[in-house]
Structures are given as C-alpha cells and as structure tokens.
Amino acid sequence: MSQPNRILIVDDEENVRLMLKAVFSQNGNTILCADNGEQAIELFKHEQPDLVLMDIRMPNMDGIEALQHMHAIYQDIPVILMTAYAAVETAVEALRLGAFDYIIKPFELDEMKLLMARALQLRDMKHEINLLHRELSDSYSHGRILTNNPKMMELCRAIAKVAQSHASVLITGESGTGKELIAKAIHYNSPRAKGQFIKVNCGALPESLLESELFGHEKGAFTGAQIQRQGLFERAHQGTLLLDEVGEMSPHLQVKLLRVLQEREFERVGGNQIIKTDIRIVAATNCDLKSMIERGEFRSDLYYRLNVMHLNSYPLRERPEDILLLARHFLQRFSAENNKDILGLDISAISILEEYKWPGNVRELENAIEHAVIMSTGYIIFSDDLPEHLQRVKNMPSSGVTPITPFEQNVNLKDNLKNYEKSLILQALNNNQNNRVQTAKVLGISLRTLMYKLQEYCIE
Ligand SMILES: Nc1ncnc2c1ncn2[C@@H]1O[C@H](COP(=O)(O)OP(=O)(O)OP(=O)(O)O)[C@@H](O)[C@H]1O
Ligand SMILES: [Mg+2]
C-alpha cells in the first residue's frame, strides 16, 4: 500500500472503527467510516473508495447484504469482510457473493495489511486489463487490417511505429487498396486516439468550399457567411486529419496547407487572428505525385512536408493470399447484415475470385461479395451468385462435389464438421437437381442415410 488510498471501514463497534482508522490513516490514506450497512452503501456510492473493510454481523442490514448492494453498484472495488469465528460459514457464502476475502476477528494487523495490499493489487490489475480490453477493441473496430501477405504484414508493423510518432504521413496506393483503413489504423493506434479522426476528400469540393471547410471562416468573409465557422484544422485539434486525394488540391490551397504543416498555425478565411492547431496530417493519394511535381501540378516543398513517413498499400492482385481471407471476412459480415446463414464459397466461386485481377482492389471484392450474398438463396455462394462481369472471367467446369472451405473459425470441431457435411449435401443436391437417389449415389451413402441427414439438418 505505497500509494494513498481511500478506505471505507464499516463496523458497528466504535472501538474497532477507531483502531482501524488510527492504523490505516498513515501513508496519507483517506479513511471513511460507517457504523451500519445503509450508511456504508451511501458512502460507497458517493465516495468511491478503493477498498472496503466490513464487519459481517451488524444490526439491521448485515455485511453480506451490504456487500451484495455494493457489488451491484461497482464490482471492481474489493471488499474484505471481518467476522467472528462462529460466522465462518457466512463468510464463505460472502466469498461466493464476490467478497475479496474474509478475516477472522481478532486478527493480527500484519495479516490485515497483507490482505489489503493483495486486494489493491488485484484491483489495479483488473483496472489495467479493462483498459487494455478497451484499447484493443477500439483499435480493432477502427482500422483492423486483415492480411496474410508478407509485404502487407511489413506495412502493418510500419503503421504501428508511425502511429507512435507525430510525423505527417503520405499513403499511396491504387484505389480501393485500403488507404483510408491505414489512416484509421494510424489514428486509433496513436496517442491521439481519443481525439477525432476526420477525413476530407480534396477532390470532391470546389476550391473555395474546400478552403472554408479546412480553414473555417469569419462571419461576413464572403456572401452567405452569416456566422463564424470552425474549419477542420480546428475541429481535428489533438486528432488526425486525413486529406484524401491530396493530389487534387489547387495550387493556392497547396501553399496554404504548406504553411499549416510548417507553422502549425493558420487564419480563418476573412480573419486575421492566428489560430494554433495540434493535428496530425495524413494525406492519401492514388496519383503519382512525383510526375505531378515534374509537370508543375504539385508543389515539391509540400510533397516533402507530407512525405515525412511514406506508406504504400499494395494492389490485391499482388497479394493473392489475401483474396480468400478478405472474401470470407466480407462473407461473414454481409451474411450477418442480411440475416442469412451462408457457410462458405464453393470451388467454382473460389476459382473465379482467385483468377480475377481486381482492378478495383479490396473495395471491388467487398462489393462483389455483398452482391453474391444478396443473390444467394442457399448456404453456399456459387459462381452464379457473383456479379456478371466476374462470371465471364472463366468458363468454369460444373462444380461437382468439391470441398467447401468452412470459414467459421470459432466453432468447435464437431460443429464445424456438421456445417461442412451439411454444405456438401446441399451442394450435391444442387448439382443433381435435387434428385435424392442420384445425390446419395454421388455422396457414396445410402438413400436412407441421406434422408436421415436431410431431416437432421432440416433440409427440405
Ligand atoms: N486489409 C483489409 N482488411 C479489411 N478490410 C479492408 C482491407 N483493405 C481494405 N478493406 C476494406 O475495403 C474497403 C476499401 O478500403 P479503403 O476505403 O480504405 O480504400 P482506399 O484505398 O481509401 O480507396 P479509394 O482510393 O477508393 O478511396 C473498405 O471498406 C475497407 O474497410
Ligand atoms: Mg479512400
């Protein structure tokens, strides 16, 4: 107990309270005292102690009941119960109800100190685990990059390092390769994660609108500017601003952006008050900025300011190992979103996905899987469910009975095998126009076994 703590002592005997208070008020601890259960709950609620020492036997509300109330309010505050020998059974019951431990009166003070130190240690650990869980789930829900490709894994390691710095980042890569996802991963894994992540598409707005969007404007700065407005450089303070399609920015705005990057300050449109901002700028582009510089379309000084760290995302055709990984991820997502129960992809669909060159990269794959999920009427995605332009990629042989790769990684072996068996049966039925005799033959089982399995899996 090196750090000062707030300790709540609950006992109906005044001398016990006074003794414990005298002992534990050293080290700068704050001691709160209550002589009954109700008062203890009030103090617990409003003062949020770090630790509770509570007698079990008290008039009216006893320690066990008070413990249950406290537990319902906040579970992570440890409660140590004190009891006379005769009531040990009750104390065991208290452990079951979530007390940290119990101590039998009269006790050695050293014994109590040890118990308290352990309780506080456990509370700190729980607190840390909660924090880690939250951070983990945040960083996963915002910008989880799935990949099995060595170059992309390298990129993920670079993202983790870049995220810890304050440097500006330039993300390049073809359309749909995950540039925005990378920008989010940087933000949510950085010390700025609690600030805002704001994205602006520099190609989507005319110059004057983009200018006031980024810098904000003063009242009356231009016709229609009836009130003062904060721009994104202000709103993203302590966060991250993604300048998407930065290659589309006009020469005038390129100069103004350069100043923000150099001085970390700017003025609103129509104003002269200097505003300081603390933001991380991430820029993304699918243009070749170097050739734009040679053609005089992009400022080289701005390029070097943005390009302090450079991350490049690879086209999907250069990372074939990611096609099925991502396809299954999107399948799971869209299957759930559409309230469907799709188990996997059949081999004809798989070979189309693997064969296709994906000019629109991951976004195109995402759209293709969403299309297929919507079109699908069964448990498996067949090649016919895919968008038509994909089906033309290859003249697939009829699928036959081919293995379907189940994608559910969290179910146990038995469930997975059942799913697998069910999907094989469905596929065989489909290939044999629902002819059961033929299906049984192809599967190498008796008609009786097939009928039994159809019933077991509720297949009509
Ligand atoms: N490695 C990946 N793991 C999971 N999802 C991904 C991955 N890469 C891309 N995506 C998803 O694909 C879609 C397209 O990605 P994103 O918008 O980041 O691409 P982009 O490069 O910014 O595209 P554009 O140049 O068209 O703006 C998004 O829905 C994104 O979540
Ligand atoms: Mg994008």
Side-chain angles (χ1 to χ4, degrees), residues 174-181 199 201 242 244-245 284 286 363:
E174 286 179 20
S175 178
T177 47
K179 296 187 294 297
E180 186 172 338
L181 192 66
K199 170 190 136 174
N201 186 335
L242 168 60
D244 208 2
E245 297 186 28
N286 51 24
R363 188 191 314 287

Side-chain angles (χ1 to χ4, degrees), residues 37-63:
E38 286 95 344
Q39 195 191 359
I41 292 166
E42 282 307 300
L43 280 171
F44 184 89
K45 234 192 264 176
H46 300 294
E47 301 291 338
Q48 292 186 353
D50 298 297
L51 177 69
V52 182
L53 308 180
M54 183 158 59
D55 190 23
I56 290 190
R57 213 178 286 173
M58 291 183 290
N60 302 325
M61 185 188 287
D62 67 12

Side-chain angles (χ1 to χ4, degrees), residues 143-148 152 156 171-184 199 201 242 244-245 284-286 313-314 316 319 322 325-326 329-330 333-334 360-367:
R144 183 177 176 200
I145 298 169
L146 296 174
T147 188
N148 277 334
M152 287 295 288
C156 292
I171 306 171
T172 53
E174 286 179 20
S175 178
T177 47
K179 296 187 294 297
E180 186 172 338
L181 192 66
I182 293 171
K184 284 184 183 158
K199 170 190 136 174
N201 186 335
L242 168 60
D244 208 2
E245 297 186 28
T285 183
N286 51 24
S313 181
Y314 298 94
L316 194 51
R319 40 182 172 122
D322 282 352
L325 174 79
L326 290 165
H329 162 72
F330 294 134
R333 197 178 100 205
F334 291 121
N361 295 297
V362 185
R363 188 191 314 287
E364 188 182 6
L365 174 63
E366 184 178 16
N367 294 343

